Amino acid sequence: MKINWGTGIVISFALFMSFILFFVFKVQSNHKYDNELVTEDYYKQELAYSKEMNKEQNAVDMAVQVVITKTNEGITVDFPKDFDSSKIKGKVSLYRPSNQKLDFEVPISLSSPHLLIPKSNLVGGLWDISVDWNYEGKDYLNKQVVSF
């Protein structure tokens, strides 16, 4: 049987598509190529996104902002001085993009407008800091990236 150029092109396309599909199925079925999301409960977090945006807008609209700074002792979170520190409640979440095992949270319980996260709790590198707090029924959210 003689193969003309049209048949050769069709056979070439079929072989090429088979080659590509073989590798797509191989990568999807092999557990070595893990396709996990960055966070465990990604879809729950996505549903709460609108509420989070409102909290961030409340924080932006404040006259005096929350300040997150790196110091020799660790990381300090300074709340507005005109707020009653005992009424500020919430948590500070520290997220390490390179290693999920280093992530941790610190509850906010203040006697002064300053919160210190000790240097001993922090490993050098990039940290995403999220301060989710409440004052007199109004929710706020401040986010910042700090390299420690």
Side-chain angles (χ1 to χ4, degrees):
M1 178 174 157
K2 193 172 183 183
I3 298 178
N4 64 14
W5 63 271
T7 307
I9 290 175
V10 170
I11 291 172
S12 299
F13 278 138
L15 288 174
F16 179 72
M17 287 191 304
S18 299
F19 173 75
I20 296 298
L21 288 174
F22 168 74
F23 280 107
V24 167
F25 288 123
K26 184 175 179 177
V27 167
Q28 292 299 321
S29 64
N30 192 343
H31 294 290
K32 184 173 96 176
Y33 304 106
D34 196 9
N35 297 322
E36 70 181 41
L37 299 173
V38 174
T39 58
E40 293 291 328
D41 54 352
Y42 174 78
Y43 295 107
K44 285 182 187 176
Q45 288 181 358
E46 184 65 28
L47 293 174
Y49 186 69
S50 175
K51 186 176 178 182
E52 185 176 310
M53 293 301 297
N54 290 338
K55 290 179 182 181
E56 286 184 23
Q57 189 59 47
N58 289 343
V60 169
D61 293 342
M62 289 177 43
V64 180
Q65 300 292 317
V66 170
V67 179
I68 301 169
T69 54
K70 180 179 98 171
T71 63
N72 291 334
E73 295 85 28
I75 294 176
T76 59
V77 181
D78 297 320
F79 292 93
K81 290 181 176 46
D82 57 341
F83 284 9
D84 182 10
S85 301
S86 62
K87 293 182 181 179
I88 297 174
K89 301 295 177 207
K91 65 182 178 181
V92 178
S93 301
L94 287 97
Y95 169 71
R96 182 66 185 258
S98 64
N99 189 349
Q100 184 179 11
K101 293 176 184 167
L102 296 175
D103 297 352
F104 67 96
E105 291 183 350
V106 176
I108 298 173
S109 179
L110 302 173
S111 58
S112 71
H114 310 290
L115 175 69
L116 174 67
I117 300 166
K119 187 177 185 178
S120 61
N121 295 352
L122 302 169
V123 176
L126 191 68
W127 289 92
D128 290 336
I129 301 173
S130 175
V131 182
D132 188 358
W133 58 289
N134 179 300
Y135 182 73
E136 294 183 341
K138 194 166 184 179
D139 294 326
Y140 302 92
L141 180 65
N142 300 85
K143 292 183 177 182
Q144 187 170 335
V145 177
V146 175
S147 180
F148 197 77

